[in-house]
Amino acid sequence: MIDKFIIKLLEEKCGYPLNSSSDCERMALDIETNTGDHLGFTTLKRLLGFTSERATPRQSTLEILARFLGFNSYKELEDSINNKGDSDFDCNPESILSSRLPADTEINISYYPNRRLNLQHIKDDKFIVTESINGSLLKGDKIFVDSFTSGLPMIAKDVIRNGESLGRYVAGEKFGINLEI
């Protein structure tokens, strides 16, 4: 699978979201029309995470994607991403920093497909799951989340269940979360 930032660039270039296998077929045609290079839609399905197969993409595949995005090489694309840096202003009104929330604030999150989490803020970046519907987290789990933004994945840097760390957890990885307070 390729970097989420590259997927966003591909969506911007194509002018449509990449939400299904049929979108990969459409993008394969767009790539061939724009670059003259053939990239199979099954390869694109693998790269975008629509199959269970996880293979490292070939360099030639990455070069075609870079050319499609207007770069001379994949290295140039990577350099462009790396030069953007990790800093930026967060102007999204749907974004919430955990450190700014008062204790006991309730946050409700929904995400595809038909999953729902209710969280209660304890302090800083620590939350307790008060309800979980159709998801992997369980009521009583403690999670550590720096921020929440509608439309982006929720990344818990750690999940504690019965005193044991389960590691990192991502909710809404493909389509982001819907946030309610």
Side-chain angles (χ1 to χ4, degrees), residues 120-140:
Q120 183 177 9
H121 185 232
I122 298 172
K123 68 175 187 172
D124 301 324
D125 62 351
K126 187 176 184 181
F127 295 81
I128 188 162
V129 177
T130 57
E131 184 178 25
S132 177
I133 300 171
N134 299 324
S136 300
L137 295 176
L138 302 178
K139 184 177 180 177

Side-chain angles (χ1 to χ4, degrees), residues 59-163:
Q59 188 64 36
S60 60
T61 299
L62 298 174
E63 296 297 331
I64 291 170
L65 288 178
R67 283 192 298 277
F68 177 64
L69 291 171
F71 295 90
N72 293 319
S73 67
Y74 187 71
K75 170 126 176 59
E76 187 178 294
L77 170 60
E78 282 185 314
D79 290 346
S80 171
I81 292 169
N82 292 336
N83 288 336
K84 183 180 182 321
D86 287 338
S87 302
D88 203 356
F89 291 101
D90 187 358
C91 300
N92 187 335
E94 298 290 323
S95 196
I96 298 169
L97 293 175
S98 300
S99 61
R100 294 185 182 168
L101 289 174
D104 297 325
T105 301
E106 296 275 334
I107 295 181
N108 301 312
I109 296 168
S110 59
Y111 54 101
Y112 180 84
N114 194 28
R115 289 183 167 79
R116 183 164 194 77
L117 281 175
N118 295 342
L119 307 173
Q120 183 177 9
H121 185 232
I122 298 172
K123 68 175 187 172
D124 301 324
D125 62 351
K126 187 176 184 181
F127 295 81
I128 188 162
V129 177
T130 57
E131 184 178 25
S132 177
I133 300 171
N134 299 324
S136 300
L137 295 176
L138 302 178
K139 184 177 180 177
D141 285 350
K142 292 177 180 69
I143 64 172
F144 297 83
V145 180
D146 290 325
S147 65
F148 302 87
T149 304
S150 285
L152 294 177
M154 177 198 79
I155 301 172
K157 54 191 170 189
D158 197 12
V159 176
I160 306 294
R161 180 176 295 158
N162 300 322

